């Protein structure tokens, strides 16, 4: 009996020990599971942190790049606006109309003078060539060079009067370019002060041609002076830069006439170069002075594909009341 009781107590102790051992194992398992979960969570957090940091870094760089780009764009826009403002606010040339009237030029104030009528007749032919059916057969028909065989025959007088007369048209604008870079006379003829011009642009002293394209107190007339003299003027006028500039003149504005006052044709290389850019030529001939051989030689130096006309200058006629006036006539070259 005693042995039986002892055996029973021993079994209870063994069962209790086994139960406590099981509880200990369960507790350890739960702690291990929790520790593993915590470790897994930490590992996940550590693994996500580099991605989050990379994403944050990328966002920061993108933000900085966008800010820099925005700042650069803003700065470029400001510089462009400033440059355009500078070009749009070039000092205006103020032409003294009374002075021109006294010097025999056409009248701008509405007076009906004989010279006004004569230049109206001349410009009609030039405009017809520039914008009419003949324009399709000419290269740069709206580019007109005005020249003469020899100096002092009145080419600048003719060029300035043509420019002012065409500027009075309702649907045309005019750009007058003093391309006589050897002996510029447009500003002097119009009574204007000297300024930077074509040569400064070709030599790179000014960046853009608009930097020397000056407005005038004639709304539809702008002027580009000749600018400074240069020992390589022939090469400058023959350059690709000049070629591209003339192409822009010819094609940028469909209503624009460009008049080049060029050097005399005989003995001057610059005129022959400029003749390759223009679609029309006006050769000024002084009556009683020009020689027929000079006129023939002048025509030979022009592009044969141009429309070539002649203005007879300083031709004095008497009208019915006995007063005299200068005559200016335009006629096409006959083939």
């Amino acid at each position: 009996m005693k042995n039986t009781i002892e055996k029973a107590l021993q079994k209870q102790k063994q069962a209790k020990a086994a139960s406590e051992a099981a509880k200990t194992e369960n507790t350890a398992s739960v702690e291990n599971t929790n520790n593993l979960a915590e470790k897994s969570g930490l590992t996940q957090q550590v693994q996500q942190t580099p991605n989050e940091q990379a994403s944050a870094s990328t966002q920061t760089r993108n933000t900085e790049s966008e800010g820099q780009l925005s700042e650069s764009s803003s700065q470029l826009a400001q510089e462009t606006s400033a440059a355009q403002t500078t070009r749009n606010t070039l000092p205006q040339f103020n032409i003294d109309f009374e002075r021109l009237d006294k010097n025999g030029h056409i009248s701008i104030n509405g007076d009906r003078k004989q010279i006004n009528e004569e230049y109206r007749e001349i410009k009609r032919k030039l405009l017809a060539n520039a914008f009419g059916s003949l324009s399709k057969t000419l290269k740069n028909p709206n580019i007109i060079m005005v020249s003469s065989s020899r100096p002092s025959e009145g080419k600048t007088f003719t060029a300035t009067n043509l420019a002012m007369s065409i500027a009075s048209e309702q649907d045309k604008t005019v750009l007058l370019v003093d391309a006589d870079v050897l002996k510029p006379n447009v500003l002097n003829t119009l009574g204007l002060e000297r300024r930077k011009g074509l040569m400064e642009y070709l030599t790179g002293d000014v960046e853009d041609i608009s930097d020397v394209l000056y407005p005038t107190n004639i709304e539809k007339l702008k002027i580009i002076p000749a600018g400074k003299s240069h020992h390589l003027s022939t090469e400058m006028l023959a350059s690709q830069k000049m070629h591209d500039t003339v192409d822009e003149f010819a094609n940028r504005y469909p209503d624009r006439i460009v008049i080049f006052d060029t050097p005399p044709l005989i003995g001057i290389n610059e005129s022959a170069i400029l003749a390759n850019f223009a679609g029309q030529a006006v050769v000024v001939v002084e009556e009683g002075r020009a020689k027929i051989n000079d006129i023939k030689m002048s025509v030979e130096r022009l592009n044969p594909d141009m429309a070539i006309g002649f203005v007879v200058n300083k031709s004095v006629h008497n009208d019915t009341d006995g007063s005299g006036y200068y005559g200016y006539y335009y006629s096409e070259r006959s083939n």
Side-chain angles (χ1 to χ4, degrees):
M1 183 71 176
K2 183 178 180 179
N3 291 335
T4 302
I5 294 172
E6 290 177 353
K7 290 181 180 178
L9 290 173
Q10 186 176 3
K11 288 183 179 179
Q12 288 179 351
K13 290 179 180 179
Q14 291 175 349
K16 184 177 180 180
S19 176
E20 290 177 355
K23 288 181 179 180
T24 302
E25 289 180 358
N26 289 338
T27 301
S29 176
V30 171
E31 290 178 354
N32 289 337
T33 301
N34 291 337
N35 290 336
L36 180 61
E38 290 177 359
K39 289 180 180 178
S40 298
L42 179 61
T43 302
Q44 184 178 4
Q45 183 177 0
V46 170
Q47 288 175 347
Q48 289 176 350
T49 299
N51 292 334
E52 291 174 354
Q53 290 175 347
S55 176
S57 177
T58 301
Q59 291 177 356
T60 301
R61 286 197 299 267
N62 289 340
T63 302
E64 291 176 353
S65 298
E66 290 174 0
Q68 291 173 354
L69 180 60
S70 177
E71 184 179 352
S72 298
S73 299
S74 177
Q75 183 178 1
L76 178 60
Q78 291 175 357
E79 290 175 355
T80 302
S81 177
Q84 290 176 345
T85 301
T86 299
R87 289 167 188 162
N88 291 335
T89 57
L90 286 175
Q92 176 178 278
F93 275 130
N94 291 308
I95 301 172
D96 186 344
F97 301 142
E98 291 185 4
R99 175 184 178 277
L100 293 183
D101 194 35
K102 292 177 180 178
N103 290 340
H105 285 73
I106 65 172
S107 175
I108 302 298
N109 57 18
D111 292 344
R112 198 170 184 88
K113 298 170 59 177
Q114 182 65 35
I115 189 173
N116 286 53
E117 299 305 313
E118 289 165 348
Y119 270 99
R120 285 191 176 105
E121 185 176 350
I122 296 170
K123 75 175 177 181
R124 285 284 155 251
K125 186 64 177 179
L126 295 172
L127 292 174
N129 289 344
F131 302 106
S133 58
L134 184 62
S135 65
K136 298 178 182 179
T137 67
L138 301 173
K139 180 183 178 181
N140 298 340
N142 60 330
I143 306 289
I144 303 170
M145 65 174 291
V146 180
S147 189
S148 59
S149 300
R150 303 285 184 181
S152 303
E153 294 193 69
K155 65 178 184 60
T156 303
F157 180 86
T158 300
T160 52
N161 277 312
L162 276 176
M164 292 187 292
S165 182
I166 296 173
S168 67
E169 294 289 310
Q170 296 300 304
D171 58 351
K172 298 292 181 290
T173 61
V174 183
L175 174 60
L176 175 59
V177 182
D178 191 347
D180 191 348
V181 294
L182 301 177
K183 294 182 66 176
N185 197 33
V186 167
L187 298 185
N188 182 57
T189 299
L190 295 176
L192 304 173
E193 68 278 7
R194 297 188 65 176
R195 295 181 186 173
K196 292 181 179 180
L198 181 62
M199 291 307 297
E200 278 81 2
Y201 167 65
L202 293 177
T203 58
D205 290 347
V206 298
E207 181 179 354
D208 195 274
I209 191 64
S210 61
D211 294 325
V212 292
L213 198 156
Y214 299 93
T216 72
N217 54 337
I218 300 176
E219 181 181 1
K220 296 182 179 181
L221 173 63
K222 294 185 177 181
I223 296 175
I224 296 180
K228 66 181 181 182
S229 60
H230 196 280
H231 67 286
L232 294 177
S233 58
T234 302
E235 287 75 13
M236 294 291 180
L237 292 175
S239 67
Q240 186 63 41
K241 188 175 185 178
M242 181 66 180
H243 188 278
D244 294 341
T245 301
V246 174
D247 281 346
E248 183 179 357
F249 287 163
N251 300 304
R252 185 169 184 178
Y253 300 106
D255 64 341
R256 173 177 282 178
I257 287 287
V258 183
I259 297 177
F260 280 91
D261 180 27
T262 69
L265 288 162
I266 296 177
I268 307 295
N269 290 325
E270 283 82 353
S271 297
I273 293 170
L274 292 167
N276 293 321
F277 297 139
Q280 300 191 66
V282 174
V283 180
V284 180
V285 178
E286 182 178 349
E287 187 176 66
R289 180 186 175 192
K291 298 178 181 178
I292 191 64
N293 287 336
D294 286 348
I295 297 173
K296 289 181 178 180
M297 191 181 302
S298 298
V299 172
E300 289 173 357
R301 293 179 64 82
L302 294 172
N303 187 337
D305 296 327
M306 303 172 74
I308 303 174
F310 301 88
V311 170
V312 181
N313 190 28
K314 303 179 184 178
S315 176
V316 180
H317 296 267
N318 291 323
D319 56 17
T320 54
D321 64 1
S323 60
Y325 64 87
Y326 288 104
Y328 305 85
Y329 306 100
Y330 181 86
S331 62
E332 282 192 68
R333 178 183 62 173
S334 59
N335 293 326

